[in-house]
Amino acid sequence: MRKIRFVLEEFFRSFHKSIFKNMLLMLMFSISLVMGVLMCSYYLDMGDRYKDTTQHIGDSTWHSLNIVMADYESNHISDSFTTVTGCRNMMNYYEELSSSQEYPFFSLNDAQSVVMRDSDLMGFFGEKSYINFLDEAEPVYTFYTEDEQCLMWWLKGAQIDLGAYQMFGLRTVEGEGFTEENMVIQKASDAIPILLGNDYQGMIEVGTTVDINCWGYVYPCRVTGILERGSSLPPFGKMDMALTSLDSRIILPHGIRVKEETKNVDEIARYAFNDYIAVEDGIVCLPDGVELIDMIAAFREVGDKYGLPPAQIVGTSVGMDLFRKESDASVRNLLILTITLLGFAFYGLFVTFYDKIQSNRRTYGIYLMNGCSLGMILTPCLMEIAVILIPSVFIGRYVFLSADNMGSFPVDVTVRVVYFFVGIAFLAGAGFITYLMRGVDAEHLMRQKD
Amino acid sequence: MKVAGKKIPRGTVLLFLSFTAISLCLLLIVSAARAERINDMSRNNMYTGHQKNFSVYNAEEENVWEDVIENLSAKYDDFAIYMPIQDPEIVVRGICVKGSVEVPPMIEGKYFDFDASWSGTPTVILGKDCQKNIFEWNGKKYCTYGGIEFEVLGVMGTKEDSRINHMMLLDLRSAVRMTNVNTSYVLDTKKESDMIKIGQELSGLFRYSAEVAILLDKGDGVSPIAQLLSSGRIMDTMHVMILISFSLSSILVTFIWLRFRRTLLYAWQLCGYKEYMKGLETAKRYYLAAGFGFVAGLSLMTLFSLTVEDIQMKVMDIVQAFGMTVGLGTVILLFCYMVDRRNT
Amino acid sequence: MIKLRDVTKTFGKKEARVEALRGINLCIEEGELVAIMGKSGSGKSTLLNILGGMMSMDSGEYQYDGELVNFTSQRELTKFRRNEVGFVVQYFALADDLDIFQNVALPLKYQGYSGKKIKEMVMEALRELEIEDKAKSYPSELSGGQQQRAAIARAVVKQPRLILADEPTGALDEATGEAVQEIFRKLNESGKTIIIVTHDLKVAGHCERIIHLKDGMISDDGPGDVVREEEVIV
């Protein structure tokens, strides 16, 4: 009990004496730790990638994509839909991503509602019952376009591109499915192909045209084909989940190409927006032998080429995700600075404790002379190091838990890495102190000059 | 330790290394920030990133903006109202700006100020690649757009191809006259914190003359830390954290350095040095070490910029970084010196 | 030259309060070589620091050359120390990173002397102390005796009238200590007033006057050839 009391008193005395330096060290370690973990997350596979978000189709690993919604909300890409050049730019961006030989790509949204005006719905279904095809039981009177308000109905839909159509082996019983030919329209005002689920067979004829609103844009559509019964798609491409039946759905295309140059922004903007959504619905393959970080770099290059945000690959580590917009050189600089910072933090710790032991050597000599063991002198120093490092744990936890506001990476893994780093720092500090105090005796301490 | 026969005082090497790191860090941050500002401006199409869209409905008269702009400009600085105009090839906007919001790099002439952007005279700022139809008359440059002759106030642009080169900014009055007052606009402010109050004021000013729909949310509940650690801001956050950490380590190093100077301080005291003389002597030694550190940091940065394409350093960056290093060093020295004198 | 009247100095508060000096009355004439002796804690160093303007007193008067020394003004104290006093301390107080020349030149900086004049004065002082060949050496390269000579050179370079030495031979061996004492004697012969705090009987024995302090008060004040055995510090 007396020994514990002695150790605690010595710890508080020593800590209080250099409280300011200790606080500086706490801050330095906290900052260095966060940066060190981020750098490790970027460069090393620490296991903080969400492997659950990857899909396995066949032998390949596929990742979902996003263009982060916050960017859109801040009009980062707003001019992509207000000028013809902006629209073409967006469409070329999508085309480059989706036609990449290196990183196979498809777009799929198995549950995309589509909207019809009341009058269009009546014309489309005629006398036949449409209840089974509705996504919402009741219609809503709202804006169909910016200028037009009317009664609108929500129907079940899906949206896929040619790649997804082919990949999941969809086939038609009537008409034709999506093909390379029918996915290209001559003029922006031409109708685009849509497919219908098998439940529509006998109700709607191939060739029927209708206007459909999706995402606030109106598309003139023509029914190209009706799918086989039981056609289905894996939700978000996830093969391990229950398949979504397409039987009662209207399937819109992603990736419509418009041949003719148009000066009408309204006409082309809907296809540009469709391509933007196609990236949001995109799923990209990580080929064998290719590192995820290389794929991120490739996507960044495409983004830079078109002046658009690089598509976010879901399931990367926290470091890869945060630095996806930065060039390799910038991140490398950051790495150099982080290593230097860590070096300074450790150096600061070592110098502080070296100084502390030097300035307390007479005191320690007196303790030793009076029967105190070396362990009892060492223990308060180790406790002090632990106290300096503990805030790093809390700050690291807080920072990474806050960063994971969208649940985009397994934060428990990252927090374990934080503990690991703190543990390493503690062992380094403890090792240093033990080394300094090795072989010390009272006479040696007392005899040292100022 | 001796260099060229002269003894290097204890602790000085640490100080030198500290300031090498600080100045390298500052040079990297300043040059990256400058490059990023222009890139961001271009990527954001000259919006700050926190701009808000709004629409005006049911305004019966074109001059509905007169009172609104007059009231808004009397109360607030550093805001801009943009009116995007549809053009097949280039980005065209009407603009009324008070103070400075996002000022693009200008190649010729000057950018809009409040008077120029809200004057009776049609004026335009052209992007570098939009100068096709310029003509000169009476010593001034003009161009015609939408049937109106605009006086060219200036030309903006960047050396590398960017969106700024393909933009055209008209004064807001002319833009409204060319199209229709009932259309979409964009409100932008220099500081994100001003957006809500200016947006609400704008909405209030239109109350009787028209309707305005502007969505002013206070944020979607994302924590400040999450915002700082978002992919759009992570580099800035990292640079600031590095700077803070190096500054803290410099404080630690300065305390150690001052501790090693105690014998010298005592000697000065014995010799009857006044306080300011002691301070001056201490500062001379400190700035010498810091100065050498800055030179070393600058040399390293020069090496980086020669070997790495992405890093480019300009004279202004060096001047800014030097000023910041001196400022930071002075603050650290003053703080540590005062604390050290109080404790001894 | 120096007159102290009822000088008191206390350290600490409440139970830790220590009266280092209790009503010291003292007169020292110009040109005297005085030793102040006493046990540890008797107030010797405190008295010396007050005499040199390094420390203020709680009450009393300090007259130097008939004028009151103003302890409330740091500026005046510093000026007094700069112009009138040369200090020598036990552990030399030489700056490690300055060579001997620079250390000795310290008091002359900011005095308005030209570089040439400073060099002249410093070399003169070093010659006087017989270490002019060590001008470019650093303190760590010198022996204890040489370092103390350098410290004395620094104290005398500006030709002060009063030299205060606090245990100047405390860190030196006997032979070196005697050499240092000889230096003080020579300086005294040249007209300087020297006050030495010491517990060394031999050093005190060389002084013409010994003041004994006991519990903060002067217990004895007499010629140097009479030394009380019971005043020897263990």
Side-chain angles (χ1 to χ4, degrees):
Chain A
M1 198 58 205
R2 278 197 301 268
K3 284 186 182 176
I4 294 173
R5 193 178 156 172
F6 170 81
V7 162
L8 286 172
E9 276 176 3
E10 180 56 25
F11 160 71
F12 282 116
R13 183 194 72 82
S14 175
F15 189 85
H16 184 257
K17 199 172 163 192
S18 47
I19 189 163
F20 182 69
K21 283 186 196 163
N22 289 344
M23 282 165 65
L24 285 180
L25 284 169
M26 283 179 196
L27 273 170
M28 281 168 65
F29 269 101
S30 301
I31 293 173
S32 311
L33 177 97
V34 168
M35 293 192 58
V37 170
L38 281 175
M39 286 291 112
C40 283
S41 172
Y42 183 80
Y43 284 106
L44 311 170
D45 194 349
M46 299 193 313
D48 60 335
R49 282 200 282 130
Y50 255 137
K51 305 254 189 322
D52 289 347
T53 56
T54 56
Q55 287 89 279
H56 295 279
I57 303 170
D59 295 328
S60 304
T61 309
W62 295 75
H63 290 264
S64 299
L65 293 182
N66 278 323
I67 289 182
V68 182
M69 287 308 286
D71 281 339
Y72 174 66
E73 284 161 2
S74 65
N75 293 308
H76 199 109
I77 51 176
S78 59
D79 279 334
S80 294
F81 310 117
T82 57
T83 63
V84 170
T85 40
C87 291
R88 280 288 175 200
N89 189 59
M90 175 59 80
M91 293 169 79
N92 293 338
Y93 173 63
Y94 164 76
E95 186 158 6
E96 183 149 344
L97 280 181
S98 61
S99 59
S100 164
Q101 298 294 318
E102 217 179 333
Y103 303 108
F105 178 105
F106 66 83
S107 297
L108 182 156
N109 185 339
D110 61 294
Q112 174 61 60
S113 293
V114 300
V115 180
M116 276 191 202
R117 277 180 295 207
D118 187 53
S119 51
D120 290 334
L121 185 88
M122 298 305 148
F124 191 63
F125 285 98
E127 298 294 321
K128 302 175 189 79
S129 170
Y130 48 79
I131 303 287
N132 291 337
F133 303 104
L134 294 179
D135 214 3
E136 301 284 337
E138 296 299 323
V140 175
Y141 188 81
T142 185
F143 278 98
Y144 185 62
T145 61
E146 261 186 35
D147 310 311
E148 184 193 346
Q149 281 182 296
C150 59
L151 206 61
M152 301 212 295
W153 295 85
W154 269 258
L155 287 91
K156 293 179 203 166
Q159 204 164 9
I160 57 174
D161 67 351
L162 185 59
Y165 179 84
Q166 290 167 344
M167 167 156 279
F168 295 104
L170 297 175
R171 280 193 290 270
T172 53
V173 291
E174 281 182 40
E176 60 173 9
F178 292 143
T179 63
E180 286 203 25
E181 290 75 32
N182 67 18
M183 292 288 266
V184 177
I185 56 177
Q186 292 297 317
K187 291 191 276 198
S189 52
D190 288 348
I192 62 171
I194 56 171
L195 301 174
L196 300 178
N198 195 263
D199 288 351
Y200 281 92
Q201 193 175 28
M203 291 177 71
I204 310 291
E205 299 294 319
V206 169
T208 305
T209 58
V210 66
D211 283 349
I212 286 177
N213 183 310
C214 188
W215 292 104
Y217 289 95
V218 178
Y219 300 89
C221 302
R222 184 177 55 81
V223 177
T224 316
I226 294 177
L227 295 172
E228 282 178 340
R229 176 147 296 280
S231 296
S232 55
L233 289 172
F236 309 108
K238 281 180 163 294
M239 298 304 288
D240 53 349
M241 287 176 69
L243 300 174
T244 306
S245 169
L246 297 177
D247 286 344
S248 56
R249 291 185 182 268
I250 298 175
I251 295 94
L252 263 68
H254 269 315
I256 294 290
R257 310 269 40 92
V258 180
K259 253 192 164 163
E260 193 192 60
E261 293 294 329
T262 176
K263 289 199 184 272
N264 188 332
V265 173
D266 289 329
E267 280 186 348
I268 195 78
R270 55 192 166 192
Y271 298 111
F273 194 85
N274 194 4
D275 285 350
Y276 160 70
I277 295 296
V279 178
E280 286 277 308
D281 291 342
I283 300 174
V284 67
C285 173
L286 179 69
D288 283 337
V290 177
E291 296 291 332
L292 194 55
I293 203 165
D294 295 328
M295 191 157 86
I296 292 169
F299 276 46
R300 182 177 56 240
E301 276 170 26
V302 175
D304 286 345
K305 183 177 171 184
Y306 293 100
L308 292 168
Q312 180 196 24
I313 298 168
V314 175
T316 58
S317 66
V318 58
M320 284 185 201
D321 189 50
L322 288 177
F323 294 120
R324 72 181 185 282
K325 290 182 183 172
E326 309 303 328
S327 65
D328 287 341
S330 302
V331 185
R332 210 168 32 242
N333 291 338
L334 210 56
L335 176 69
I336 294 167
L337 289 171
T338 303
I339 292 171
T340 314
L341 203 61
L342 278 164
F344 266 91
F346 276 105
Y347 188 82
L349 183 72
F350 294 156
V351 160
T352 302
F353 277 85
Y354 179 78
D355 196 39
K356 190 186 285 288
I357 287 167
Q358 287 293 99
S359 57
N360 280 315
R361 62 188 177 283
R362 283 195 197 282
T363 314
Y364 295 153
I366 292 163
Y367 290 160
L368 288 172
M369 256 172 37
N370 287 282
C372 184
S373 69
L374 196 59
M376 283 168 68
I377 296 173
L378 210 56
T379 306
C381 290
L382 297 179
M383 283 168 68
E384 204 169 334
I385 293 176
V387 166
I388 286 170
L389 293 174
I390 279 169
S392 309
V393 172
F394 292 109
I395 288 174
R397 278 180 57 90
Y398 176 69
V399 163
F400 289 110
L401 284 168
S402 301
D404 184 38
N405 62 333
M406 288 179 67
S408 49
F409 57 88
V411 71
D412 56 326
V413 173
T414 316
V415 169
R416 277 205 292 276
V417 175
V418 167
Y419 297 152
F420 176 74
F421 264 66
V422 169
I424 295 287
F426 177 75
L427 287 173
F432 179 71
I433 299 281
T434 313
Y435 172 78
L436 279 181
M437 298 283 268
R438 82 202 185 293
V440 143
D441 59 43
E443 202 188 330
H444 173 75
L445 283 172
M446 296 297 285
R447 266 196 292 116
Q448 278 183 7
K449 279 165 80 166
D450 277 323
Chain B
M1 184 176 149
K2 280 192 182 181
V3 169
K6 279 208 81 132
K7 197 170 186 183
I8 304 294
R10 277 201 293 174
T12 302
V13 173
L14 271 183
L15 200 62
F16 163 78
L17 287 173
S18 228
F19 274 91
T20 303
I22 281 187
S23 46
L24 179 66
C25 186
L26 278 169
L27 283 163
L28 272 169
I29 289 173
V30 165
S31 53
R34 177 187 41 78
E36 199 55 30
R37 195 181 79 84
I38 294 178
N39 283 344
D40 267 353
M41 202 193 300
S42 174
R43 250 186 264 133
N44 282 341
N45 294 315
M46 276 190 57
Y47 295 130
T48 54
H50 55 257
Q51 74 281 5
K52 295 284 178 194
N53 282 354
F54 68 97
S55 302
V56 172
Y57 302 94
N58 302 327
E60 287 170 5
E61 289 166 8
E62 210 176 73
N63 63 1
V64 72
W65 276 107
E66 301 291 329
D67 285 336
V68 173
I69 297 283
E70 196 184 310
N71 282 303
L72 219 52
S73 62
K75 259 177 122 169
Y76 300 103
D77 285 325
D78 300 323
F79 69 88
I81 293 168
Y82 297 97
M83 179 180 156
I85 295 174
Q86 287 210 357
D87 184 286
E89 285 170 9
I90 56 172
V91 176
V92 181
R93 286 184 207 148
I95 174 175
C96 173
V97 59
K98 175 99 192 287
S100 77
V101 181
E102 282 282 286
V103 181
M106 298 300 293
I107 296 172
E108 238 181 84
K110 56 182 178 121
Y111 189 62
F112 279 119
D113 56 16
F114 179 66
D115 291 329
S117 64
W118 190 243
S119 68
T121 320
T123 43
V124 68
I125 303 277
L126 294 174
K128 196 171 85 168
D129 295 338
C130 303
Q131 300 183 71
K132 283 193 296 239
N133 300 318
I134 286 185
F135 60 91
E136 275 196 46
W137 184 69
N138 230 6
K140 290 187 181 174
K141 288 188 181 173
Y142 293 85
C143 79
T144 312
Y145 183 80
I148 301 177
E149 240 170 51
F150 290 88
E151 182 190 336
V152 177
L153 271 189
V155 176
M156 60 186 178
T158 56
K159 219 193 299 183
E160 301 84 19
D161 189 36
S162 70
R163 289 195 181 175
I164 292 172
N165 298 344
H166 305 278
M167 286 175 77
M168 191 193 275
L169 303 173
L170 319 171
D171 68 283
L172 188 65
R173 270 212 181 98
S174 305
V176 169
R177 225 178 295 139
M178 275 171 64
T179 54
N180 188 335
V181 68
N182 292 311
T183 184
S184 302
Y185 298 84
V186 175
L187 172 66
D188 207 353
T189 56
K190 189 173 181 170
K191 287 190 268 186
E192 197 170 348
S193 50
D194 289 340
M195 179 57 71
I196 290 182
K197 65 175 186 264
I198 296 181
Q200 281 170 347
E201 181 84 25
L202 179 79
S203 196
L205 285 168
F206 268 104
R207 206 172 304 140
Y208 301 109
S209 50
E211 289 167 52
V212 160
I214 178 168
L215 192 62
L216 295 169
D217 58 292
K218 286 198 169 74
D220 54 359
V222 176
S223 74
I225 295 282
Q227 283 181 38
L228 287 173
L229 289 179
S230 63
S231 63
R233 289 202 191 166
I234 185 69
M235 265 329 215
D236 294 338
T237 306
M238 286 296 193
H239 285 143
V240 169
M241 277 164 62
I242 288 170
L243 197 56
I244 290 172
S245 205
F246 276 132
S247 302
L248 293 176
S249 82
S250 296
I251 291 175
L252 203 63
V253 162
T254 304
F255 273 125
I256 295 169
W257 182 82
L258 282 171
R259 201 174 79 76
F260 287 134
R261 304 278 80 72
R262 277 198 194 148
T263 313
L264 187 57
L265 276 160
Y266 183 54
W268 287 331
Q269 181 133 355
L270 288 179
C271 297
Y273 273 34
K274 295 182 198 172
E275 279 307 318
Y276 89 85
M277 284 150 71
K278 280 189 256 177
L280 194 63
E281 288 291 321
T282 308
K284 264 175 15 189
R285 285 160 170 77
Y286 189 81
Y287 284 125
L288 193 65
F292 275 113
F294 182 81
V295 169
L298 181 60
S299 309
L300 281 171
M301 181 66 181
T302 309
L303 199 66
F304 283 157
S305 63
L306 289 173
T307 49
V308 178
E309 254 181 55
D310 286 11
I311 301 175
Q312 284 175 9
M313 198 171 50
K314 294 195 186 302
V315 171
M316 207 53 214
D317 297 341
I318 298 171
V319 170
Q320 275 184 320
F322 179 73
M324 286 161 80
T325 307
V326 167
L328 190 62
T330 306
V331 167
I332 291 174
L333 177 64
L334 275 172
F335 172 72
C336 295
Y337 188 75
M338 279 173 9
V339 170
D340 192 65
R341 299 309 290 137
R342 219 163 61 102
N343 292 340
T344 49
Chain C
M1 187 192 193
I2 291 172
K3 235 185 223 170
L4 293 180
R5 194 160 42 180
D6 289 328
V7 167
T8 58
K9 177 72 183 176
T10 313
F11 294 108
K13 290 176 187 168
K14 294 183 186 171
E15 295 89 18
R17 197 182 147 92
V18 168
E19 284 182 290
L21 297 176
R22 298 194 282 167
I24 300 286
N25 287 286
L26 182 60
C27 264
I28 297 174
E29 298 299 333
E30 188 155 7
E32 284 198 79
L33 176 55
V34 180
I36 299 176
M37 293 192 75
K39 286 186 185 172
S40 184
S42 57
K44 317 186 289 296
S45 295
T46 307
L47 178 60
L48 199 77
N49 285 332
I50 287 172
L51 285 171
M54 289 282 279
M55 193 184 279
S56 60
M57 55 197 175
D58 290 342
S59 65
E61 254 180 34
Y62 177 8
Q63 278 187 27
Y64 185 86
D65 270 359
E67 281 189 27
L68 275 176
V69 176
N70 182 5
F71 280 90
T72 57
S73 166
Q74 272 303 316
R75 220 153 53 105
E76 285 197 29
L77 272 184
T78 310
K79 189 178 168 188
F80 169 69
R81 209 161 52 243
R82 189 165 62 248
N83 296 334
E84 301 294 334
V85 182
F87 248 106
V88 179
V89 297
Q90 184 177 359
Y91 285 107
F92 327 129
L94 293 171
D96 291 329
D97 44 274
L98 302 177
D99 61 30
I100 297 303
F101 182 96
Q102 288 167 326
N103 266 291
V104 174
L106 274 181
L108 302 177
K109 255 184 143 178
Y110 301 107
Q111 298 282 53
Y113 295 115
S114 67
K116 194 176 164 192
K117 181 71 182 164
I118 289 176
K119 189 171 178 181
E120 208 180 283
M121 292 170 78
V122 167
M123 292 313 292
E124 172 65 34
L126 291 176
R127 247 191 310 274
E128 214 175 299
L129 275 297
E130 295 170 11
I131 48 164
E132 70 266 32
D133 56 327
K134 301 292 180 193
K136 287 296 164 196
S137 304
Y138 285 88
S140 54
E141 295 164 4
L142 304 187
S143 67
Q146 288 169 328
Q147 287 187 60
Q148 195 59 293
R149 283 170 191 264
I152 295 170
R154 183 180 63 198
V156 302
V157 73
K158 59 189 177 186
Q159 302 295 332
R161 291 163 63 206
L162 175 65
I163 294 175
L164 303 174
D166 192 349
E167 306 278 8
T169 59
L172 307 173
D173 57 75
E174 201 175 316
T176 316
E178 278 190 19
V180 167
Q181 189 51 37
E182 182 58 24
I183 292 168
F184 280 124
R185 197 186 58 75
K186 280 188 187 157
L187 287 170
N188 179 242
E189 275 172 10
S190 68
K192 298 199 191 308
T193 309
I194 301 180
I195 303 172
I196 304 176
V197 159
T198 184
H199 64 270
D200 189 335
L201 288 169
K202 282 197 175 158
V203 171
H206 280 115
C207 299
E208 59 196 48
R209 179 179 166 191
I210 299 177
I211 297 168
H212 290 267
L213 283 185
K214 189 176 178 180
D215 297 330
M217 292 192 295
I218 294 177
S219 61
D220 194 25
D221 184 352
D225 51 354
V226 176
V227 175
R228 290 205 186 166
E229 283 180 10
E230 57 262 40
E231 294 301 332
V232 170
I233 311 298
V234 175

